[in-house]
Amino acid sequence: MFTLIRRSVARKNQANTLEVVINHRGVKCGQNNVCLDFFFIIVYISRAVFCRSFSKFELQSYLNNVNIQKYREPITRLRLSSHRLHIETGRWSNTPREDRKCTLCNKLEDEFHLLFECKAYDDIRVKYIKRYYRDTLNMIKTTELMLSEHVKTQRNLAAFIYHAFEIKKTITQS
Ligand SMILES: [Zn+2]
Protein backbone atom coordinates (compact mmCIF):
# COMPACT_ATOMS: atom_id res chain seq x y z
CA MET A 1 0.00 0.00 0.00
CA PHE A 2 1.42 3.33 -1.05
CA THR A 3 0.59 6.88 -0.14
CA LEU A 4 1.05 9.92 -2.28
CA ILE A 5 1.90 13.09 -0.44
CA ARG A 6 2.66 16.59 -1.62
CA ARG A 7 5.04 18.98 0.02
CA SER A 8 5.98 22.52 -0.79
CA VAL A 9 9.68 23.23 -0.50
CA ALA A 10 11.80 26.28 -1.10
CA ARG A 11 14.32 25.73 -3.87
CA LYS A 12 16.30 28.52 -5.43
CA ASN A 13 13.90 31.03 -3.88
CA GLN A 14 11.02 29.48 -5.71
CA ALA A 15 8.32 27.36 -4.24
CA ASN A 16 8.07 24.02 -5.91
CA THR A 17 5.81 21.18 -5.12
CA LEU A 18 7.24 17.76 -4.65
CA GLU A 19 5.35 14.60 -5.04
CA VAL A 20 6.75 11.81 -2.97
CA VAL A 21 5.49 8.31 -3.07
CA ILE A 22 6.09 6.65 0.23
CA ASN A 23 5.59 3.12 1.32
CA HIS A 24 4.14 1.93 4.58
CA ARG A 25 7.55 2.13 6.19
CA GLY A 26 7.48 5.90 5.83
CA VAL A 27 10.03 8.40 4.65
CA LYS A 28 13.37 9.69 5.76
CA CYS A 29 14.77 13.19 5.42
CA GLY A 30 17.32 13.89 2.72
CA GLN A 31 19.06 17.02 1.52
CA ASN A 32 17.36 20.37 2.08
CA ASN A 33 14.99 18.75 4.55
CA VAL A 34 13.14 17.19 1.67
CA CYS A 35 11.63 13.91 2.66
CA LEU A 36 13.00 11.18 0.44
CA ASP A 37 11.48 7.82 -0.06
CA PHE A 38 13.56 4.70 0.30
CA PHE A 39 12.50 3.11 -2.95
CA PHE A 40 10.30 5.32 -5.00
CA ILE A 41 10.41 8.41 -7.11
CA ILE A 42 10.43 12.10 -6.42
CA VAL A 43 9.17 14.18 -9.28
CA TYR A 44 9.21 17.94 -9.41
CA ILE A 45 6.05 19.43 -10.89
CA SER A 46 8.22 21.41 -13.29
CA ARG A 47 9.86 18.37 -14.82
CA ALA A 48 9.07 14.94 -16.10
CA VAL A 49 5.73 16.10 -17.44
CA PHE A 50 6.00 13.42 -20.12
CA CYS A 51 6.56 10.67 -17.60
CA ARG A 52 3.78 11.90 -15.36
CA SER A 53 1.25 11.79 -18.18
CA PHE A 54 1.19 8.01 -18.22
CA SER A 55 3.08 6.74 -15.17
CA LYS A 56 1.62 3.99 -13.09
CA PHE A 57 3.38 2.83 -9.97
CA GLU A 58 3.51 -0.81 -10.87
CA LEU A 59 5.85 -3.07 -12.81
CA GLN A 60 5.71 -1.91 -16.40
CA SER A 61 5.14 -4.69 -18.93
CA TYR A 62 7.74 -3.33 -21.35
CA LEU A 63 10.43 -4.21 -18.81
CA ASN A 64 9.67 -7.88 -19.46
CA ASN A 65 8.68 -7.59 -23.09
CA VAL A 66 11.65 -5.56 -24.33
CA ASN A 67 14.17 -8.32 -23.77
CA ILE A 68 17.21 -6.69 -25.35
CA GLN A 69 19.09 -4.64 -22.78
CA LYS A 70 20.42 -2.03 -25.22
CA TYR A 71 16.82 -1.27 -26.27
CA ARG A 72 15.29 -1.47 -22.80
CA GLU A 73 17.56 1.17 -21.32
CA PRO A 74 16.73 4.01 -23.76
CA ILE A 75 12.97 3.50 -23.48
CA THR A 76 13.32 3.58 -19.71
CA ARG A 77 15.35 6.78 -19.95
CA LEU A 78 12.75 8.43 -22.14
CA ARG A 79 9.91 7.39 -19.86
CA LEU A 80 11.70 8.78 -16.81
CA SER A 81 12.94 11.97 -18.51
CA SER A 82 16.50 10.82 -17.87
CA HIS A 83 17.87 11.76 -21.27
CA ARG A 84 19.76 14.43 -23.21
CA LEU A 85 16.86 16.10 -24.99
CA HIS A 86 17.01 19.85 -24.64
CA ILE A 87 13.81 19.92 -22.56
CA GLU A 88 15.91 18.30 -19.81
CA THR A 89 19.44 19.58 -20.48
CA GLY A 90 18.03 23.11 -20.59
CA ARG A 91 17.01 22.74 -16.97
CA TRP A 92 20.64 22.23 -16.01
CA SER A 93 21.62 25.58 -17.56
CA ASN A 94 18.44 27.42 -16.51
CA THR A 95 17.47 27.89 -20.15
CA PRO A 96 13.85 29.11 -20.34
CA ARG A 97 11.57 26.26 -21.34
CA GLU A 98 10.47 27.97 -24.55
CA ASP A 99 14.13 28.23 -25.65
CA ARG A 100 14.92 24.54 -25.25
CA LYS A 101 14.66 23.93 -28.95
CA CYS A 102 15.85 21.28 -31.37
CA THR A 103 18.80 22.70 -33.30
CA LEU A 104 17.52 21.05 -36.45
CA CYS A 105 13.82 21.95 -36.40
CA ASN A 106 13.75 24.98 -34.09
CA LYS A 107 10.86 23.46 -32.12
CA LEU A 108 10.73 22.53 -28.45
CA GLU A 109 12.90 19.42 -28.15
CA ASP A 110 10.88 17.24 -25.82
CA GLU A 111 9.87 13.59 -25.87
CA PHE A 112 6.93 14.28 -28.17
CA HIS A 113 9.25 15.99 -30.64
CA LEU A 114 11.61 13.02 -30.66
CA LEU A 115 8.83 10.48 -31.07
CA PHE A 116 6.77 12.19 -33.75
CA GLU A 117 8.13 15.44 -35.13
CA CYS A 118 11.88 15.65 -35.48
CA LYS A 119 12.97 15.26 -39.08
CA ALA A 120 16.28 13.73 -37.95
CA TYR A 121 14.39 10.53 -37.15
CA ASP A 122 11.94 10.40 -40.07
CA ASP A 123 13.47 7.27 -41.62
CA ILE A 124 13.54 5.18 -38.47
CA ARG A 125 10.12 6.51 -37.41
CA VAL A 126 8.57 5.03 -40.54
CA LYS A 127 10.34 1.77 -39.84
CA TYR A 128 9.44 1.37 -36.18
CA ILE A 129 6.26 3.36 -35.40
CA LYS A 130 2.95 2.41 -36.96
CA ARG A 131 1.24 4.88 -39.27
CA TYR A 132 -1.71 4.91 -36.86
CA TYR A 133 0.45 6.63 -34.25
CA ARG A 134 2.27 8.86 -36.73
CA ASP A 135 -0.88 10.26 -38.32
CA THR A 136 -2.82 12.98 -36.52
CA LEU A 137 -0.36 13.80 -33.78
CA ASN A 138 -1.70 14.44 -30.32
CA MET A 139 -1.01 13.57 -26.72
CA ILE A 140 -3.81 11.01 -26.61
CA LYS A 141 -2.06 8.87 -29.21
CA THR A 142 1.27 9.49 -27.53
CA THR A 143 -0.12 8.22 -24.26
CA GLU A 144 -1.74 5.31 -26.07
CA LEU A 145 1.60 4.38 -27.63
CA MET A 146 3.47 4.66 -24.35
CA LEU A 147 0.85 2.56 -22.55
CA SER A 148 0.58 -0.08 -25.25
CA GLU A 149 0.88 -3.60 -23.85
CA HIS A 150 1.38 -5.03 -27.35
CA VAL A 151 4.77 -6.74 -27.33
CA LYS A 152 5.79 -5.89 -30.90
CA THR A 153 4.72 -2.26 -30.47
CA GLN A 154 6.77 -2.01 -27.28
CA ARG A 155 9.82 -3.62 -28.88
CA ASN A 156 9.61 -1.41 -31.96
CA LEU A 157 9.19 1.69 -29.83
CA ALA A 158 12.24 0.73 -27.78
CA ALA A 159 14.26 0.13 -30.96
CA PHE A 160 13.15 3.50 -32.35
CA ILE A 161 14.21 5.34 -29.20
CA TYR A 162 17.55 3.52 -29.14
CA HIS A 163 18.33 4.48 -32.74
CA ALA A 164 17.03 8.03 -32.26
CA PHE A 165 19.34 8.54 -29.29
CA GLU A 166 22.24 7.17 -31.36
CA ILE A 167 21.42 9.60 -34.20
CA LYS A 168 21.13 12.45 -31.70
CA LYS A 169 24.61 11.65 -30.38
CA THR A 170 26.08 12.02 -33.87
CA ILE A 171 24.19 15.31 -34.41
CA THR A 172 25.39 16.66 -31.08
CA GLN A 173 29.00 15.68 -31.78
CA SER A 174 29.11 17.17 -35.27
ZN1 LIG B 1 14.02 18.26 -34.38
XYZ file of all heavy atoms in Angstrom, residues 78-159:
697
model
N 13.728 7.492 -21.600
C 12.748 8.429 -22.140
C 11.539 8.534 -21.211
O 11.047 9.629 -20.931
C 12.286 7.997 -23.545
C 11.501 9.085 -24.274
C 12.455 10.066 -24.944
C 10.562 8.505 -25.317
N 11.084 7.394 -20.729
C 9.906 7.390 -19.859
C 10.155 8.152 -18.564
O 9.243 8.762 -18.017
C 9.487 5.948 -19.550
C 8.954 5.195 -20.749
C 8.721 3.744 -20.406
N 7.692 3.599 -19.414
C 6.431 3.227 -19.683
N 6.081 2.938 -20.908
N 5.543 3.132 -18.725
N 11.398 8.139 -18.083
C 11.704 8.777 -16.805
C 12.299 10.171 -16.972
O 12.754 10.783 -16.011
C 12.668 7.900 -16.003
C 12.141 6.524 -15.611
C 13.195 5.743 -14.853
C 10.872 6.654 -14.772
N 12.324 10.669 -18.223
C 12.939 11.975 -18.510
C 14.394 12.012 -18.065
O 14.888 13.035 -17.599
C 12.150 13.120 -17.847
O 10.857 13.193 -18.402
N 15.072 10.894 -18.194
C 16.501 10.820 -17.872
C 17.259 10.702 -19.193
O 17.762 9.637 -19.546
C 16.771 9.608 -16.973
O 18.158 9.461 -16.763
N 17.300 11.795 -19.931
C 17.869 11.759 -21.274
C 18.510 13.102 -21.599
O 18.534 14.008 -20.755
C 16.767 11.435 -22.286
C 15.556 12.308 -22.137
N 15.605 13.690 -22.278
C 14.269 12.031 -21.828
C 14.414 14.197 -22.082
N 13.580 13.221 -21.788
N 19.035 13.223 -22.810
C 19.765 14.431 -23.205
C 18.971 15.314 -24.152
O 19.554 16.108 -24.886
C 21.092 14.037 -23.855
C 22.019 13.280 -22.927
C 22.699 14.233 -21.994
N 23.480 13.542 -20.976
C 24.552 14.059 -20.413
N 24.978 15.238 -20.776
N 25.189 13.406 -19.473
N 17.660 15.164 -24.180
C 16.864 16.096 -24.985
C 16.915 17.469 -24.325
O 17.016 17.577 -23.104
C 15.410 15.608 -25.091
C 15.212 14.242 -25.764
C 13.727 13.896 -25.828
C 15.819 14.234 -27.160
N 16.795 18.494 -25.155
C 17.006 19.847 -24.642
C 15.987 20.231 -23.569
O 16.271 21.068 -22.705
C 16.963 20.842 -25.814
C 17.738 22.091 -25.540
N 17.825 23.132 -26.422
C 18.474 22.472 -24.462
C 18.559 24.092 -25.900
N 18.975 23.714 -24.719
N 14.814 19.621 -23.593
C 13.814 19.925 -22.565
C 14.377 19.620 -21.176
O 14.029 20.303 -20.190
C 12.502 19.123 -22.799
C 11.384 19.600 -21.874
C 12.707 17.629 -22.652
C 10.855 20.963 -22.181
N 15.279 18.629 -21.089
C 15.912 18.303 -19.810
C 17.247 19.010 -19.625
O 17.495 19.591 -18.572
C 16.114 16.778 -19.695
C 14.880 16.021 -19.261
C 14.320 16.537 -17.950
O 15.054 16.594 -16.950
O 13.125 16.906 -17.928
N 18.112 18.964 -20.645
C 19.437 19.580 -20.480
C 19.306 21.085 -20.259
O 20.143 21.691 -19.593
C 20.349 19.305 -21.696
O 19.727 19.822 -22.872
C 20.601 17.821 -21.870
N 18.243 21.688 -20.804
C 18.028 23.115 -20.591
C 17.759 23.464 -19.146
O 18.051 24.568 -18.693
N 17.244 22.515 -18.402
C 17.009 22.739 -16.970
C 18.325 22.930 -16.250
O 18.424 23.707 -15.313
C 16.260 21.552 -16.351
C 14.858 21.360 -16.865
C 14.200 20.134 -16.252
N 14.130 20.248 -14.801
C 14.830 19.515 -13.951
N 15.641 18.577 -14.402
N 14.713 19.688 -12.669
N 19.359 22.171 -16.702
C 20.644 22.233 -16.007
C 21.295 23.599 -16.177
O 22.074 24.031 -15.323
C 21.588 21.142 -16.539
C 20.974 19.772 -16.582
C 19.865 19.343 -15.901
C 21.407 18.656 -17.368
N 19.584 18.028 -16.221
C 20.508 17.584 -17.105
C 22.455 18.454 -18.256
C 20.641 16.334 -17.707
C 22.590 17.203 -18.853
C 21.702 16.164 -18.584
N 20.998 24.274 -17.298
C 21.622 25.576 -17.556
C 20.636 26.727 -17.355
O 20.892 27.852 -17.787
C 22.173 25.600 -18.988
O 21.139 25.301 -19.913
N 19.489 26.423 -16.750
C 18.437 27.424 -16.513
C 17.973 28.101 -17.791
O 17.593 29.263 -17.792
C 18.915 28.481 -15.517
C 18.970 27.933 -14.108
O 18.138 27.105 -13.724
N 19.958 28.361 -13.351
N 18.008 27.372 -18.897
C 17.472 27.892 -20.152
C 15.943 27.940 -20.043
O 15.339 26.948 -19.625
C 17.868 26.973 -21.329
O 19.287 26.850 -21.343
C 17.375 27.528 -22.659
N 15.324 29.067 -20.394
C 13.855 29.111 -20.339
C 13.250 27.979 -21.168
O 13.792 27.623 -22.227
C 13.528 30.477 -20.954
C 14.752 31.284 -20.769
C 15.909 30.319 -20.856
N 12.158 27.442 -20.693
C 11.566 26.263 -21.338
C 11.318 26.503 -22.827
O 11.575 25.634 -23.658
C 10.250 25.916 -20.636
C 9.673 24.575 -21.023
C 8.454 24.232 -20.191
N 8.034 22.851 -20.380
C 7.315 22.435 -21.399
N 6.887 23.283 -22.311
N 6.994 21.152 -21.518
N 10.828 27.693 -23.154
C 10.475 27.968 -24.552
C 11.698 28.054 -25.455
O 11.574 28.029 -26.681
C 9.636 29.250 -24.661
C 10.335 30.521 -24.212
C 10.181 30.799 -22.716
O 9.831 29.860 -21.970
O 10.414 31.942 -22.309
N 12.883 28.154 -24.856
C 14.126 28.228 -25.650
C 14.844 26.883 -25.768
O 15.911 26.804 -26.372
C 15.087 29.242 -25.030
C 14.543 30.655 -25.102
O 13.725 30.925 -26.013
O 14.926 31.481 -24.251
N 14.265 25.852 -25.208
C 14.923 24.535 -25.247
C 14.560 23.832 -26.556
O 13.807 22.854 -26.576
C 14.507 23.702 -24.040
C 14.874 24.345 -22.719
C 14.330 23.563 -21.539
N 14.388 24.348 -20.319
C 13.863 23.974 -19.166
N 13.246 22.813 -19.064
N 13.941 24.760 -18.100
N 15.112 24.355 -27.618
C 14.664 23.928 -28.945
C 15.621 22.946 -29.604
O 16.814 22.934 -29.325
C 14.486 25.152 -29.833
C 13.341 26.043 -29.375
C 13.166 27.231 -30.282
C 11.956 28.055 -29.818
N 11.828 29.303 -30.581
N 15.068 22.176 -30.522
C 15.854 21.284 -31.366
C 16.656 22.156 -32.331
O 16.106 23.055 -32.967
C 14.909 20.360 -32.127
S 15.722 19.392 -33.400
N 17.952 21.874 -32.434
C 18.800 22.700 -33.298
C 18.486 22.484 -34.774
O 18.805 23.325 -35.612
C 20.290 22.378 -33.050
O 20.483 20.964 -33.182
C 20.723 22.816 -31.666
N 17.840 21.376 -35.062
C 17.517 21.053 -36.455
C 16.176 21.659 -36.895
O 16.058 22.212 -37.980
C 17.452 19.528 -36.600
C 17.850 18.904 -37.915
C 19.288 19.230 -38.259
C 17.649 17.385 -37.841
N 15.193 21.576 -36.023
C 13.818 21.950 -36.397
C 13.364 23.266 -35.765
O 12.305 23.787 -36.149
C 12.847 20.863 -35.967
S 13.350 19.197 -36.387
N 14.118 23.761 -34.800
C 13.745 24.983 -34.087
C 12.391 24.879 -33.381
O 11.636 25.839 -33.288
C 13.758 26.190 -35.041
C 13.942 27.492 -34.284
O 14.613 27.529 -33.258
N 13.327 28.567 -34.765
N 12.073 23.674 -32.930
C 10.864 23.456 -32.123
C 11.307 22.919 -30.763
O 12.407 22.386 -30.627
C 9.954 22.415 -32.784
C 9.284 22.888 -34.052
C 8.366 21.782 -34.566
C 7.610 22.238 -35.803
N 6.777 21.154 -36.368
N 10.429 23.048 -29.784
C 10.732 22.531 -28.449
C 11.182 21.084 -28.551
O 10.461 20.232 -29.091
C 9.485 22.625 -27.560
C 9.665 22.162 -26.115
C 10.567 23.130 -25.351
C 8.311 22.029 -25.426
N 12.381 20.791 -28.056
C 12.896 19.424 -28.148
C 12.521 18.640 -26.895
O 13.274 18.576 -25.927
C 14.417 19.405 -28.332
C 14.897 17.996 -28.668
C 16.413 17.866 -28.716
O 17.098 18.519 -27.905
O 16.897 17.115 -29.552
N 11.325 18.084 -26.933
C 10.882 17.239 -25.822
C 10.643 15.819 -26.347
O 10.969 15.501 -27.501
C 9.628 17.831 -25.164
C 8.468 17.979 -26.138
O 8.600 17.574 -27.312
O 7.425 18.510 -25.721
N 10.073 14.991 -25.504
C 9.870 13.592 -25.867
C 8.921 13.464 -27.053
O 9.114 12.630 -27.937
C 9.325 12.810 -24.663
C 10.287 12.729 -23.483
C 10.217 13.936 -22.547
O 9.499 14.917 -22.870
O 10.886 13.903 -21.491
N 7.892 14.287 -27.067
C 6.931 14.276 -28.171
C 7.636 14.608 -29.488
O 7.396 13.977 -30.523
C 5.814 15.295 -27.884
C 4.742 15.331 -28.946
C 3.677 14.446 -28.923
C 4.793 16.267 -29.965
C 2.694 14.481 -29.899
C 3.818 16.313 -30.946
C 2.764 15.419 -30.912
N 8.523 15.592 -29.435
C 9.253 15.990 -30.641
C 10.109 14.836 -31.164
O 10.142 14.568 -32.365
C 10.128 17.211 -30.339
C 10.853 17.733 -31.538
N 10.223 18.386 -32.577
C 12.167 17.678 -31.892
C 11.114 18.709 -33.505
N 12.290 18.289 -33.114
N 10.785 14.161 -30.242
C 11.611 13.021 -30.661
C 10.757 11.919 -31.275
O 11.078 11.396 -32.343
C 12.388 12.475 -29.465
C 13.239 11.223 -29.773
C 14.664 11.393 -29.273
C 12.630 9.968 -29.173
N 9.645 11.605 -30.624
C 8.832 10.477 -31.074
C 8.150 10.749 -32.405
O 8.057 9.864 -33.256
C 7.769 10.145 -30.028
C 8.251 9.488 -28.735
C 7.121 9.423 -27.721
C 8.789 8.085 -29.016
N 7.677 11.979 -32.619
C 6.773 12.189 -33.747
C 7.152 13.309 -34.710
O 6.673 13.323 -35.835
C 5.351 12.474 -33.223
C 4.789 11.353 -32.428
C 4.602 11.478 -31.064
C 4.460 10.142 -33.021
C 4.086 10.442 -30.309
C 3.948 9.103 -32.291
C 3.763 9.248 -30.929
N 7.949 14.252 -34.290
C 8.132 15.437 -35.127
C 9.501 15.569 -35.771
O 9.603 15.988 -36.920
C 7.917 16.704 -34.273
C 6.496 16.958 -33.864
C 6.392 18.257 -33.086
O 7.365 18.663 -32.414
O 5.315 18.877 -33.139
N 10.547 15.263 -35.029
C 11.884 15.652 -35.478
C 12.252 14.969 -36.791
O 12.180 13.741 -36.924
C 12.924 15.321 -34.404
S 14.535 16.030 -34.812
N 12.669 15.799 -37.749
C 12.973 15.260 -39.076
C 14.245 14.419 -39.078
O 14.460 13.636 -40.009
C 13.055 16.378 -40.102
C 14.011 17.491 -39.753
C 13.788 18.673 -40.695
C 14.686 19.846 -40.295
N 14.362 21.066 -41.039
N 15.055 14.537 -38.027
C 16.275 13.725 -37.952
C 15.946 12.238 -37.860
O 16.774 11.390 -38.191
C 17.103 14.147 -36.743
N 14.742 11.928 -37.392
C 14.388 10.528 -37.151
C 13.274 10.044 -38.086
O 12.659 9.008 -37.838
C 13.959 10.334 -35.690
C 14.823 11.085 -34.709
C 14.284 12.030 -33.841
C 16.203 10.876 -34.660
C 15.084 12.741 -32.957
C 17.015 11.583 -33.790
C 16.445 12.504 -32.938
O 17.244 13.213 -32.072
N 13.028 10.764 -39.155
C 11.935 10.402 -40.074
C 12.067 8.969 -40.583
O 11.094 8.213 -40.593
C 11.906 11.369 -41.266
C 11.183 12.663 -40.931
O 10.536 12.728 -39.861
O 11.272 13.613 -41.733
N 13.279 8.608 -41.016
C 13.469 7.274 -41.619
C 13.183 6.155 -40.631
O 12.463 5.206 -40.943
C 14.899 7.133 -42.154
C 15.124 8.017 -43.373
O 14.129 8.515 -43.937
O 16.298 8.214 -43.737
N 13.750 6.265 -39.441
C 13.541 5.180 -38.470
C 12.118 5.220 -37.905
O 11.574 4.201 -37.513
C 14.589 5.205 -37.334
C 14.578 6.538 -36.590
C 15.971 4.875 -37.860
C 15.405 6.507 -35.307
N 11.516 6.410 -37.894
C 10.123 6.512 -37.410
C 9.197 5.687 -38.291
O 8.332 4.954 -37.809
C 9.696 7.983 -37.392
C 8.365 8.222 -36.673
C 8.061 9.696 -36.568
N 8.987 10.402 -35.700
C 9.821 11.369 -36.111
N 9.818 11.767 -37.372
N 10.632 11.949 -35.253
N 9.396 5.795 -39.607
C 8.569 5.033 -40.545
C 8.785 3.533 -40.331
O 7.851 2.737 -40.422
C 8.919 5.428 -42.005
C 8.276 4.467 -42.995
C 8.483 6.855 -42.272
N 10.012 3.182 -40.010
C 10.342 1.768 -39.838
C 9.748 1.189 -38.561
O 9.279 0.047 -38.539
C 11.871 1.609 -39.822
C 12.349 0.178 -39.725
C 13.864 0.095 -39.858
C 14.339 -1.344 -39.704
N 15.813 -1.433 -39.775
N 9.756 1.954 -37.482
C 9.436 1.371 -36.176
C 8.091 1.798 -35.571
O 7.599 1.156 -34.660
C 10.540 1.721 -35.167
C 11.844 1.015 -35.431
C 12.972 1.723 -35.827
C 11.956 -0.361 -35.282
C 14.183 1.083 -36.061
C 13.155 -1.017 -35.519
C 14.262 -0.293 -35.907
O 15.446 -0.929 -36.149
N 7.514 2.903 -36.029
C 6.263 3.357 -35.402
C 5.129 3.298 -36.421
O 5.243 3.852 -37.519
C 6.427 4.784 -34.837
C 7.499 4.758 -33.732
C 5.104 5.306 -34.278
C 7.734 6.078 -33.047
N 4.072 2.624 -36.052
C 2.954 2.408 -36.962
C 2.370 3.729 -37.452
O 2.308 4.707 -36.700
C 1.834 1.631 -36.251
C 2.047 0.162 -36.145
C 0.797 -0.447 -35.513
C 0.989 -1.925 -35.248
N -0.168 -2.458 -34.490
N 1.851 3.684 -38.686
C 1.243 4.878 -39.270
C 0.117 5.416 -38.376
O -0.063 6.620 -38.244
C 0.682 4.542 -40.661
C -0.011 5.712 -41.352
C -0.677 5.245 -42.631
N 0.306 4.852 -43.627
C 0.803 5.687 -44.546
N 0.384 6.922 -44.598
N 1.693 5.271 -45.421
N -0.610 4.497 -37.743
C -1.713 4.910 -36.863
C -1.252 5.941 -35.838
O -1.942 6.908 -35.552
C -2.283 3.682 -36.141
C -3.210 4.031 -35.005
C -4.522 4.451 -35.247
C -2.766 3.969 -33.679
C -5.357 4.794 -34.195
C -3.604 4.317 -32.627
C -4.894 4.724 -32.896
O -5.723 5.075 -31.858
N -0.056 5.709 -35.268
C 0.453 6.635 -34.254
C 1.056 7.886 -34.880
O 1.049 8.961 -34.279
C 1.508 5.940 -33.380
C 0.955 4.795 -32.566
C 1.303 3.481 -32.861
C 0.082 5.026 -31.505
C 0.793 2.426 -32.113
C -0.429 3.987 -30.757
C -0.068 2.679 -31.069
O -0.584 1.648 -30.328
N 1.589 7.730 -36.097
C 2.273 8.864 -36.729
C 1.295 9.866 -37.333
O 1.585 11.049 -37.428
C 3.225 8.361 -37.827
C 4.456 7.658 -37.280
C 5.411 7.247 -38.395
N 5.050 5.992 -39.037
C 4.704 5.870 -40.319
N 4.671 6.924 -41.097
N 4.396 4.689 -40.813
N 0.130 9.374 -37.738
C -0.884 10.259 -38.321
C -1.635 10.985 -37.209
O -1.863 10.426 -36.147
C -1.885 9.460 -39.161
C -1.247 8.964 -40.453
O -0.118 9.394 -40.775
O -1.882 8.134 -41.130
N -2.033 12.190 -37.477
C -2.817 12.980 -36.524
C -2.167 12.986 -35.144
O -2.556 12.275 -34.229
C -4.269 12.452 -36.380
O -4.761 12.108 -37.660
C -5.158 13.504 -35.771
N -1.131 13.778 -35.016
C -0.355 13.796 -33.780
C -1.118 14.464 -32.647
O -1.663 15.547 -32.813
C 0.955 14.545 -34.012
C 1.817 14.043 -35.165
C 3.074 14.875 -35.277
C 2.136 12.570 -34.973
N -1.145 13.822 -31.526
C -1.698 14.442 -30.318
C -1.248 13.640 -29.096
O -0.706 12.545 -29.216
C -3.237 14.533 -30.378
C -3.879 13.179 -30.590
O -3.590 12.227 -29.881
N -4.749 13.094 -31.602
N -1.485 14.207 -27.946
C -1.012 13.568 -26.718
C -1.794 12.297 -26.390
O -1.290 11.410 -25.709
C -1.084 14.551 -25.541
C 0.087 15.516 -25.455
S 1.716 14.726 -25.561
C 1.785 13.850 -23.994
N -3.019 12.223 -26.880
C -3.812 11.014 -26.609
C -3.142 9.809 -27.259
O -2.953 8.761 -26.640
C -5.254 11.181 -27.121
C -5.947 12.287 -26.323
C -6.031 9.873 -27.042
C -7.310 12.686 -26.837
N -2.739 9.983 -28.531
C -2.065 8.874 -29.215
C -0.687 8.612 -28.612
O -0.235 7.469 -28.558
C -1.946 9.176 -30.707
C -3.229 8.920 -31.470
C -2.983 8.899 -32.962
C -4.275 8.608 -33.700
N -4.082 8.646 -35.164
N -0.029 9.667 -28.176
C 1.273 9.494 -27.533
C 1.119 8.631 -26.286
O 1.871 7.681 -26.070
C 1.863 10.860 -27.136
O 1.904 11.697 -28.284
C 3.262 10.708 -26.568
N 0.128 8.987 -25.477
C -0.123 8.219 -24.260
C -0.499 6.782 -24.604
O -0.036 5.835 -23.964
C -1.252 8.885 -23.445
O -0.873 10.231 -23.181
C -1.495 8.162 -22.146
N -1.321 6.646 -25.645
C -1.738 5.308 -26.070
C -0.521 4.469 -26.467
O -0.413 3.299 -26.108
C -2.700 5.455 -27.253
C -3.441 4.203 -27.614
C -4.363 4.413 -28.796
O -4.854 5.556 -29.003
O -4.576 3.452 -29.539
N 0.387 5.094 -27.210
C 1.602 4.383 -27.630
C 2.448 3.998 -26.421
O 2.915 2.863 -26.315
C 2.414 5.262 -28.587
C 3.775 4.722 -29.037
C 3.613 3.397 -29.784
C 4.488 5.743 -29.925
N 2.621 4.933 -25.502
C 3.470 4.656 -24.348
C 2.854 3.617 -23.415
O 3.571 2.938 -22.683
C 3.752 5.947 -23.569
C 4.523 7.004 -24.340
S 6.068 6.437 -25.082
C 7.031 6.039 -23.635
N 1.521 3.524 -23.429
C 0.848 2.562 -22.553
C 0.561 1.232 -23.232
O 0.032 0.321 -22.594
C -0.477 3.158 -22.049
C -0.372 4.264 -21.002
C -1.755 4.829 -20.682
C 0.294 3.759 -19.741
N 0.895 1.140 -24.517
C 0.580 -0.084 -25.246
C 1.200 -1.302 -24.563
O 2.352 -1.281 -24.139
C 1.111 0.022 -26.680
O 0.924 -1.229 -27.331
N 0.406 -2.350 -24.446
C 0.885 -3.603 -23.853
C 1.260 -4.596 -24.952
O 1.645 -5.733 -24.667
C -0.214 -4.207 -22.965
C -0.716 -3.293 -21.869
C 0.037 -3.470 -20.568
O 0.382 -4.600 -20.234
O 0.291 -2.439 -19.906
N 1.095 -4.160 -26.209
C 1.382 -5.030 -27.353
C 2.899 -5.216 -27.470
O 3.648 -4.230 -27.578
C 0.801 -4.386 -28.621
C 0.908 -5.250 -29.823
N 1.791 -4.985 -30.847
C 0.258 -6.394 -30.167
C 1.668 -5.921 -31.779
N 0.751 -6.773 -31.390
N 3.333 -6.464 -27.440
C 4.770 -6.740 -27.330
C 5.546 -6.152 -28.509
O 6.573 -5.490 -28.328
C 5.022 -8.259 -27.224
C 6.517 -8.557 -27.239
C 4.384 -8.806 -25.950
N 5.038 -6.372 -29.731
C 5.786 -5.886 -30.904
C 5.842 -4.359 -30.917
O 6.861 -3.762 -31.263
C 5.144 -6.410 -32.191
C 6.000 -6.124 -33.408
C 5.441 -6.754 -34.669
C 6.338 -6.403 -35.850
N 5.758 -6.830 -37.123
N 4.742 -3.729 -30.524
C 4.719 -2.258 -30.466
C 5.743 -1.759 -29.455
O 6.476 -0.799 -29.704
C 3.304 -1.767 -30.080
O 2.385 -2.220 -31.067
C 3.251 -0.247 -29.988
N 5.797 -2.409 -28.308
C 6.769 -2.009 -27.279
C 8.203 -2.203 -27.758
O 9.060 -1.347 -27.562
C 6.541 -2.820 -25.997
C 5.262 -2.465 -25.273
C 5.064 -3.296 -24.015
O 5.516 -4.438 -23.934
N 4.373 -2.739 -23.039
N 8.456 -3.350 -28.410
C 9.823 -3.619 -28.882
C 10.227 -2.648 -29.989
O 11.370 -2.180 -30.026
C 9.928 -5.071 -29.370
C 9.875 -6.053 -28.218
C 9.930 -7.490 -28.683
N 9.973 -8.395 -27.535
C 9.837 -9.705 -27.608
N 9.663 -10.286 -28.786
N 9.881 -10.447 -26.522
N 9.302 -2.358 -30.884
C 9.611 -1.410 -31.957
C 9.835 -0.002 -31.413
O 10.725 0.710 -31.871
C 8.475 -1.387 -32.989
C 8.571 -2.557 -33.951
O 9.612 -3.192 -34.074
N 7.479 -2.849 -34.630
N 9.017 0.373 -30.448
C 9.187 1.689 -29.830
C 10.559 1.784 -29.163
O 11.268 2.794 -29.313
C 8.077 1.932 -28.801
C 8.182 3.234 -27.995
C 8.079 4.453 -28.920
C 7.088 3.286 -26.924
N 10.928 0.739 -28.455
C 12.236 0.733 -27.777
C 13.365 0.821 -28.802
O 14.344 1.552 -28.602
C 12.377 -0.527 -26.925
N 13.227 0.089 -29.909
C 14.256 0.130 -30.957
C 14.332 1.530 -31.560
O 15.423 2.058 -31.806
C 13.947 -0.902 -32.028
